[in-house]
Amino acid sequence: MGLYRIERLNVQLRDEIAKLILHGDIKDYRVSEHLTINRVEVTQDLSYAKVYVSTFLSDEQLEKGVEGLNSAAGFIQSQIAAKMRIRKFPRMTFVVDSAMKDGFKMVNKLNELEEETKAWEKEHPEMLDENQEEAKK
């Protein structure tokens, strides 16, 4: 299968899984509607699909949600396979994706650093003037 078709399948699977979660079709108590499907990676031979899940809830709730999704993987696969027309449907594995939380933490740290820099510049204006003069040379 071509790369473009694989990418389209990744997006379609992501959307279908997100719909199942959002509509509450997955009855596992661990699966919260606050879970986010970030991306899906299907192998070239369509045997496996790795589904990356994240949330802004606690790490413990995310772990439980991923366990619930892995437990309901057969149901999810059957529901989506009934809608899609592909020769071979991939076996899904759900994994924790902490990239969104890590990115959010990084942005907060950068904002704090910017505030500290502005406060330091206000306290030491003489240092700022010397640095600006050196930068002009």
Side-chain angles (χ1 to χ4, degrees):
M1 194 176 241
L3 290 178
Y4 179 71
R5 290 180 67 194
I6 293 285
E7 188 57 37
R8 278 193 349 217
L9 180 61
N10 290 339
V11 171
Q12 191 172 6
L13 287 174
R14 183 193 71 207
D15 293 344
E16 291 297 327
I17 296 167
K19 284 178 191 175
L20 287 174
I21 292 172
L22 188 61
H23 294 293
D25 295 336
I26 303 168
K27 301 298 183 198
D28 193 308
Y29 70 94
R30 298 171 287 188
V31 177
S32 167
E33 59 197 25
H34 299 292
L35 295 176
T36 303
I37 306 300
N38 286 347
R39 68 184 188 276
V40 177
E41 293 178 355
V42 178
T43 58
Q44 289 290 329
D45 63 354
L46 301 180
S47 296
Y48 300 98
K50 192 177 281 191
V51 183
Y52 294 89
V53 183
S54 68
T55 186
F56 279 114
L57 301 174
S58 71
D59 291 339
E60 182 180 320
Q61 288 174 313
L62 177 58
E63 291 286 339
K64 286 183 180 180
V66 169
E67 288 174 12
L69 287 170
N70 278 316
S71 176
F75 171 77
I76 295 168
Q77 289 168 200
S78 66
Q79 291 294 307
I80 297 173
K83 295 179 183 180
M84 296 176 66
R85 300 274 184 218
I86 58 175
R87 179 176 46 90
K88 185 177 182 181
F89 198 83
R91 182 168 183 231
M92 294 183 183
T93 304
F94 295 87
V95 296
V96 172
D97 185 9
S98 61
M100 190 163 54
K101 272 189 177 178
D102 294 343
F104 186 71
K105 288 177 185 176
M106 182 62 70
V107 168
N108 283 340
K109 286 181 182 180
L110 289 172
N111 288 338
E112 289 173 12
L113 182 61
E114 184 179 17
E115 289 174 14
E116 288 175 12
T117 303
K118 286 180 182 178
W120 186 86
E121 287 175 352
K122 285 182 181 179
E123 292 174 11
H124 303 91
E126 69 282 353
M127 297 294 285
L128 184 62
D129 292 336
E130 291 174 9
N131 289 337
Q132 286 177 346
E133 288 177 17
E134 290 178 15
K136 290 180 184 177
K137 293 179 183 178

